């Protein structure tokens, strides 16, 4: 099983000119901890995480290093840190040295990278273009799916794409769902607003050619959370 088999393809992204305030809103609305920054061609430029927004003058949390430590610091590094903490756009505050993998990275390789660099997610690139993202949760789901059906066929990737398209067409809130296909067995995780959406997602997946069975693990968001997210 490889990155392309378990990655989330419906990835929220922002262009570099997006304001810091809009990035923060997106993280809250989508309940995600980081968002990739891409240019108009889909080339990944960096990533903005919650940590990148923790030290801000707006909240009085910016760092104030001792004057004698400043004498020892590299002036370029101090300037870069100032731009990152005071900048107003995603391009200013993003982390540029992003750990990533390609589509063919194995689950073992991904797990090792997450553990070695103490990160929660890793972007998946095709060349320099962002095609998906693998989080710790996606990795765990992939391990579960592989244990349930260890035989992986070349058609799993095609089935995964077809299932994702079918769920999107069914209007089941695909942005909050994650699909893993292993040996023709479809696993769907995530959250939707209603039981009807959950059933629609399961039915859409069952109707895709090549699907042997569907394991619908979708949860229903509590009314309070739905009201916060969609004003219902």
């Amino acid at each position: 099983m490889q990155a392309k088999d378990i990655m989330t393809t419906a990835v929220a992204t922002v262009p570099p000119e997006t304001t810091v305030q809009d990035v923060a809103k997106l993280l809250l609305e989508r309940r995600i901890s980081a968002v990739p920054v891409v240019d108009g061609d889909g080339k990944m430029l960096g990533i903005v995480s919650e940590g990148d927004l923790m030290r801000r003058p707006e909240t009085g949390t910016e760092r104030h290093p001792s004057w004698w430590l400043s004498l020892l610091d590299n002036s370029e590094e101090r300037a870069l840190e100032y731009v990152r903490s005071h900048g107003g756009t995603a391009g200013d505050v993003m982390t540029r040295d992003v750990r990533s993998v390609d589509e063919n990275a194995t689950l073992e390789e991904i797990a090792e990278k997450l553990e070695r660099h103490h990160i929660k997610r890793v972007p998946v690139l095709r060349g320099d273009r962002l095609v998906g993202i693998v989080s710790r949760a996606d990795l765990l789901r992939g391990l579960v799916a592989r244990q349930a059906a260890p035989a992986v066929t070349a058609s799993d990737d095609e089935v995964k794409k077809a299932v994702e398209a079918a769920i999107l067409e069914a209007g089941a809130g695909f942005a909050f769902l994650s699909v893993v296909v292993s040996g023709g067995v479809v696993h769907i995780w995530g959250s939707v607003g209603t039981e009807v959406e959950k059933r629609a997602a399961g039915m859409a997946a069952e109707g895709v050619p090549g699907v042997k069975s569907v394991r619908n693990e979708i949860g229903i968001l509590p009314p309070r959370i739905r009201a916060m997210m969609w004003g219902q």
Side-chain angles (χ1 to χ4, degrees), residues 128-146:
D128 58 4
R129 293 172 61 88
L130 179 72
V131 294
I133 197 163
V134 175
S135 67
R136 291 178 180 178
D138 291 323
L139 183 61
L140 293 176
R141 292 161 186 160
L143 293 174
V144 171
R146 186 168 65 173

Side-chain angles (χ1 to χ4, degrees), residues 82-144:
Y82 184 88
V83 170
R84 290 194 62 194
S85 63
H86 290 72
T89 68
D92 293 329
V93 305
M94 69 183 182
T95 297
R96 289 173 168 77
D97 183 19
V98 180
R99 311 294 179 180
S100 62
V101 297
D102 64 35
E103 297 174 285
N104 298 317
T106 65
L107 300 195
E108 289 78 9
E109 292 170 341
I110 297 171
E112 182 181 353
K113 179 158 292 192
L114 294 179
E115 183 177 34
R116 186 191 318 133
H117 298 291
H118 306 287
I119 51 180
K120 297 179 181 179
R121 91 276 320 149
V122 60
V124 183
L125 304 183
R126 182 183 298 151
D128 58 4
R129 293 172 61 88
L130 179 72
V131 294
I133 197 163
V134 175
S135 67
R136 291 178 180 178
D138 291 323
L139 183 61
L140 293 176
R141 292 161 186 160
L143 293 174
V144 171

Side-chain angles (χ1 to χ4, degrees), residues 17-33:
E17 62 271 18
T18 305
T19 67
V20 167
Q21 288 76 16
D22 285 341
V23 172
K25 289 178 183 178
L26 179 63
L27 295 181
L28 291 172
E29 290 171 357
R30 296 290 295 270
R31 295 186 299 161
I32 53 180
S33 59

Side-chain angles (χ1 to χ4, degrees), residues 31-42:
R31 295 186 299 161
I32 53 180
S33 59
V35 59
V37 182
V38 300
D39 64 14
D41 296 322

